Amino acid sequence: MGDQKGKRGRAAGAHQAKGYRHPEASALLRPDVGLQAQFRKKKRPVTYRYDPSLSPTLEWTGKAERLSFDVPTLPLFIHERLSTSAILETLKGHKRDQQTDMFDLFGESGLPIHERLLKAYEHRNGWVNRLILGDSLVVMNSLLHYEGLGGQVQTIYMDPPYAVKFGSNFQPFVRKRDVAHGRDEHMVREPEMVQAYRDTWELGIHSFLTYLRDRLLLARDMLHPSGSIFVQMSDTNLHHVREVMDEVFGPECFVSQISFQTTSGFQTRTLATLGDFLLWYARDPERLKVRKLFEEQPVVLGEGNARWVLLPDGSYRGVTAAERRGEAPVPEDARLYKPDNLQSQGAAREPQPFTFEGKVYNPGANSHWKPNYPAGMERLAAAGRIHVAANSIQYRRFASDFPYKERGNLWTDTLTGSFTGEKTYVVQTNPKVVERCLLMTSDPGDLVFDPTCGSGTTAWCAEKWGRRWITCDTSRVPIALARQRLLTGTFDYHRLKEPDRGPAGGFEYRRKQNRKSEEVGGIAPRITLQSIARDEPPKEEVLVDRPESETDVTRVSGPFCVEATIPAPVDWEGDGEEDSGDAAAVAAHADHVNRMIEVLRRVRVLHLGGGRKIELAAVRPPARTLSLSAEAIIDGADDQAVAIVFGPENGAVSEAMVFEAAKEASAKEYSHLYVIGFAIQPDARRLIEDCERAVGVPATYAQASMDLIMKDLLKNLRSSQIFSVCGLPDVRVKREAKNEYRVELLGLDVFDPVEMNSDHREGQDVPAWFLDTDYNGLCFHVCQAFFPRTSAWAALKRSLRGEFDESVWAHLSGTISTPFEAGERGQIAVKVVDDRGNELMVVKPLAEVES
């Protein structure tokens, strides 16, 4: 443990860690995943229809026939609660009476279990940011119809697959980013791969446009009337995407097409492509929220506002050729300026002669002086703002009057890697791009949504700038990467104007100058001819990207949670309860099972650890079954017949489902039961591990790729790792004192049903593992977080120097936890994230730990 220097006073140079909270915002209470079986607030699917009055700007295969589409309305269950502050509290002192209120640190309501269930989607709770596993279409529909978030999102940033190459948006697993287009062997070369976010579309661009239009339609419903949406795209399909957005939002809602540079260029036969594009659309152009962005105006001698030199003695001259070339310096204390026009069109009612330095000047024919005459002209003269040309006078516009310019729609300073460091995801966008979109169209405390999470750049930028955020992805790999990035990220602590209101009260901005009298603060005066002539203070522009910051505070992410789309219980779980009489839902599950059987027939392969696999033949529905989904023969295993059960399309495999399927498989003397699902409850995993002893038939859980949820839009390549078998974490719990424990991650077992043994991976060779020191069976609270293979905590470690011993950080990059005191529930849970992004959890009662 650390030496707890904080108790004796913070060490010199040490930083305090804080996270932003949003006290004025709230969200409807969502149920914990442990309450899934009891949740009954089911809603019917929603049918979305396209407006037939819209004149189609683009046609593609299947569009004319697709006048509407149905989306299941699924609840969002909370799987994990995360808080960097909570983790830091456990490092300061492992005694529970030394810790602050953990409910508060996790942003949790603390409601009793029965009220969490009964008040789900009714009770308003404090706001926590949200990382959601699920198809963006289903997630948005849930947010709209379970939570009423329509019209609540200020900014949407969407970076969809570019629909060109599967390598462009595909990352096989947590630590591999080099994927080449057309190299299908990349999908099977490594033992741990998952198809995350690939661009292999069944009908190519036609499927992509269908995918995009559906999601844009729901995104439009989520936007606030003053809101904006940005869609990132390459030049290949940019024109098609703009046509689709014109159709969904209306061409009048188009705001701008932004070009941003991503590379310095590659050698090509024709012309190098240097970047990508953003299409910016408004929900309502008349109500659009816009915050101007400014960039520093570089001083180029001889150009712009730096063409003339005003010397300290009052004399002036043009910039010399030697000064332009950099061969001679501009004299010290000289001021650079540009002579500007002092006249406006239209004759004055009276003559306007103006005497300056003994000479009379009159405006030209049919013109008048811009400043009010004569007082304004006299003020300009007194301020030294009049430049005498050959036969006229002009206004001196100094380079220092406003050393900034409004940022336009061409961004050339956004090369990936120029300031952001190494990518963590194959399609990671430069944060500078996303930041500018958020700063232009939202204020602190506003809600930001990204339906294409990827590495979590939008969430990270929203967190950095005090916005609330929701992001989702259909793949576990991006969720795993985003979770780590957010949990271990550090940010500047921007000073709050009204601390009691949190970021919603705004950031504090100040006008500041350096020793050279240059404006360096977040408020910059814009000196103009008008402000001088009228003797008015200059207009002040707020540079929204320059708020005041606390130098002795390191900001960490506020509390956030990991959620997933899971359907309400229905009859197919086999628990004997009439949970739902919804015939449409039962029919939808039957369609799901039939489709999964067809996929399994085409793929045939279940992938194991170490590059091993089994192949299935004769996959078919079983005759007269109550609980099983399919049966098959294992090739090369004496034609053994095995049973298969598929979990729900959008939910987790339950213990009741496994038990009923295992009873039937045992009674029909199948040699093995394969349980295939997108997610699985801990109780169901435990039953599968003990299935042979408890029920009489061995069982194996196979993880299905989340890509299958995309249904017919994606190809199901035979070589793809659609199904993979994963095991349970191997942990050791050690009692160190009367009520004090440590946990060691020994490794991860991957069960091989062919050889009937386990492939063991050492604990030091997993991407991440988490510890809940008082697991309540409902939701996993990350009390300690470990990243053995990376230096994920390095930035926080540097920022909090002096707060903790070096040994504390060594623990967080290793396999042994810091000590903790037993909680009131007397059990812990350990969750391991494998290379495929799968989350594998084991629960251990502390009463069973030997002294």
Side-chain angles (χ1 to χ4, degrees), residues 384-606:
R385 288 283 179 156
I386 292 183
H387 169 90
V388 178
N391 295 305
S392 64
I393 55 175
Q394 295 175 297
Y395 165 68
R396 282 184 178 139
R397 187 181 299 280
F398 289 108
S400 59
D401 283 351
F402 188 65
Y404 303 96
K405 62 179 180 179
E406 287 189 12
R407 190 174 294 281
N409 65 350
L410 177 60
W411 301 346
T412 58
D413 60 342
T414 53
L415 288 171
T416 303
S418 59
F419 73 102
T420 58
E422 184 183 7
K423 282 186 178 183
T424 60
Y425 194 59
V426 66
V427 288
Q428 183 171 323
T429 300
N430 188 324
K432 188 183 291 187
V433 175
V434 182
E435 285 180 23
R436 287 176 184 167
C437 295
L438 302 189
L439 291 170
M440 282 194 299
T441 60
S442 67
D443 292 321
D446 283 345
L447 180 57
V448 173
F449 175 61
D450 185 348
T452 51
C453 174
S455 64
T457 298
T458 301
W460 191 88
C461 293
E463 187 72 48
K464 175 180 178 179
W465 292 104
R467 275 67 170 168
R468 295 175 293 133
W469 55 264
I470 302 173
T471 187
C472 66
D473 206 294
T474 191
S475 169
R476 289 177 174 83
V477 168
I479 296 296
L481 293 171
R483 177 209 282 120
Q484 174 178 320
R485 189 178 182 190
L486 289 161
L487 193 63
T488 62
T490 59
F491 314 92
D492 290 338
Y493 190 92
H494 304 310
R495 195 173 297 160
L496 301 176
K497 188 185 299 183
E498 301 177 60
D500 291 344
R501 297 183 59 199
F507 294 148
E508 184 177 313
Y509 293 89
R510 292 183 182 177
R511 182 183 176 186
K512 295 190 296 187
Q513 293 180 325
N514 60 17
R515 294 179 179 178
K516 297 181 180 179
S517 298
E518 296 170 333
E519 299 292 337
V520 294
I523 296 178
R526 186 194 284 265
I527 300 173
T528 63
L529 181 153
Q530 185 180 60
S531 64
I532 297 171
R534 293 184 178 179
D535 195 23
E536 297 173 344
K539 176 184 178 183
E540 293 183 333
E541 299 285 0
V542 176
L543 309 181
V544 293
D545 57 347
R546 291 191 183 182
E548 291 295 298
S549 297
E550 299 282 357
T551 58
D552 61 344
V553 177
T554 294
R555 187 158 62 86
V556 295
S557 292
F560 65 99
C561 57
V562 176
E563 305 173 41
T565 53
I566 298 180
V570 291
D571 299 337
W572 61 72
E573 289 203 338
D575 56 7
E577 296 183 20
E578 293 294 332
D579 298 332
S580 171
D582 189 343
V586 176
H589 180 68
D591 290 342
H592 164 63
V593 169
N594 291 335
R595 187 167 56 84
M596 293 292 283
I597 290 174
E598 181 59 30
V599 170
L600 198 55
R601 282 173 178 161
R602 295 174 61 185
V603 177
R604 297 185 59 201
V605 176
L606 293 179

Side-chain angles (χ1 to χ4, degrees), residues 112 131 195 201 227 288 334 365 462 565 616 649 679 724 748 763 840:
L131 182 59
Q195 278 163 310
W201 300 88
L288 177 65
T565 53
L616 302 176
E649 181 176 9
S724 56
L748 183 66
L840 314 167

Side-chain angles (χ1 to χ4, degrees), residues 273-285:
T273 298
L274 300 182
D276 289 334
F277 301 87
L278 292 171
L279 292 173
W280 177 8
Y281 278 72
R283 183 66 180 90
D284 182 348

Side-chain angles (χ1 to χ4, degrees), residues 125-406:
N125 213 12
W127 177 268
V128 294
N129 293 318
R130 305 167 66 177
L131 182 59
I132 304 172
L133 176 66
D135 184 342
S136 58
L137 200 65
V138 178
V139 170
M140 284 190 282
N141 191 51
S142 181
L143 296 175
L144 287 167
H145 295 282
Y146 263 110
E147 303 184 41
L149 280 183
Q152 301 298 309
V153 176
Q154 185 60 42
T155 304
I156 295 177
Y157 191 97
M158 190 173 183
D159 181 10
Y162 290 171
V164 181
K165 305 174 181 179
F166 71 65
S168 67
N169 282 76
F170 167 83
Q171 179 153 339
F173 61 122
V174 172
R175 54 176 173 170
K176 180 177 178 61
R177 298 194 312 274
D178 53 331
V179 182
H181 177 57
R183 297 287 298 279
D184 201 46
E185 60 269 27
H186 277 192
M187 305 301 216
V188 296
R189 182 161 61 99
E190 298 289 341
E192 285 82 21
M193 279 196 176
V194 62
Q195 278 163 310
Y197 232 76
R198 69 178 183 272
D199 289 346
T200 49
W201 300 88
E202 187 70 51
L203 298 176
I205 186 63
H206 308 279
S207 292
F208 170 71
L209 294 174
T210 299
Y211 158 94
L212 186 63
R213 185 172 70 146
D214 291 353
R215 284 152 183 78
L216 288 173
L217 191 66
L218 272 70
R220 184 192 65 184
D221 290 347
M222 293 190 67
L223 277 178
H224 188 273
S226 65
S228 296
I229 181 170
F230 296 87
V231 176
Q232 181 176 327
M233 189 52 51
S234 69
D235 58 357
T236 306
N237 289 310
L238 180 69
H239 54 306
H240 291 321
V241 174
R242 182 163 176 178
E243 288 174 309
V244 173
M245 296 189 74
D246 277 347
E247 189 171 319
V248 174
F249 288 89
E252 70 281 0
C253 292
F254 172 77
V255 179
S256 183
Q257 179 174 302
I258 301 168
S259 305
F260 64 95
Q261 191 171 358
T262 60
T263 177
S264 56
F266 300 97
Q267 187 175 3
T268 68
R269 189 173 63 85
T270 54
L271 194 63
T273 298
L274 300 182
D276 289 334
F277 301 87
L278 292 171
L279 292 173
W280 177 8
Y281 278 72
R283 183 66 180 90
D284 182 348
E286 298 299 320
R287 303 172 66 179
L288 177 65
K289 177 185 287 189
V290 180
R291 304 290 180 250
K292 293 286 188 179
L293 298 183
F294 297 92
E295 59 181 317
E296 292 186 3
Q297 177 84 287
V299 175
V300 181
L301 291 176
E303 298 181 12
N305 291 344
R307 298 174 183 174
W308 284 72
V309 179
L310 177 64
L311 299 172
D313 62 1
S315 62
Y316 51 95
R317 59 170 173 80
V319 173
T320 67
E323 289 170 338
R324 284 198 297 269
R325 292 193 299 266
E327 297 171 355
V330 175
E332 189 175 356
D333 297 329
R335 300 184 69 186
L336 297 167
Y337 72 93
K338 176 186 79 171
D340 211 346
N341 189 12
L342 257 178
Q343 302 179 38
S344 291
Q345 290 185 347
R349 294 181 180 178
E350 302 285 341
Q352 293 185 327
F354 180 69
T355 303
F356 181 71
E357 295 182 347
K359 185 175 180 179
V360 177
Y361 297 90
N362 287 285
N366 199 32
S367 297
H368 65 277
W369 299 119
K370 284 184 179 179
N372 52 318
Y373 177 84
M377 293 293 291
E378 292 170 353
R379 291 191 185 102
L380 287 183
R385 288 283 179 156
I386 292 183
H387 169 90
V388 178
N391 295 305
S392 64
I393 55 175
Q394 295 175 297
Y395 165 68
R396 282 184 178 139
R397 187 181 299 280
F398 289 108
S400 59
D401 283 351
F402 188 65
Y404 303 96
K405 62 179 180 179
E406 287 189 12

Side-chain angles (χ1 to χ4, degrees), residues 82 102 161 263 300 501 614 650 783:
L82 301 103
M102 298 303 283
T263 177
V300 181
R501 297 183 59 199
I614 61 172
N650 295 290
C783 300

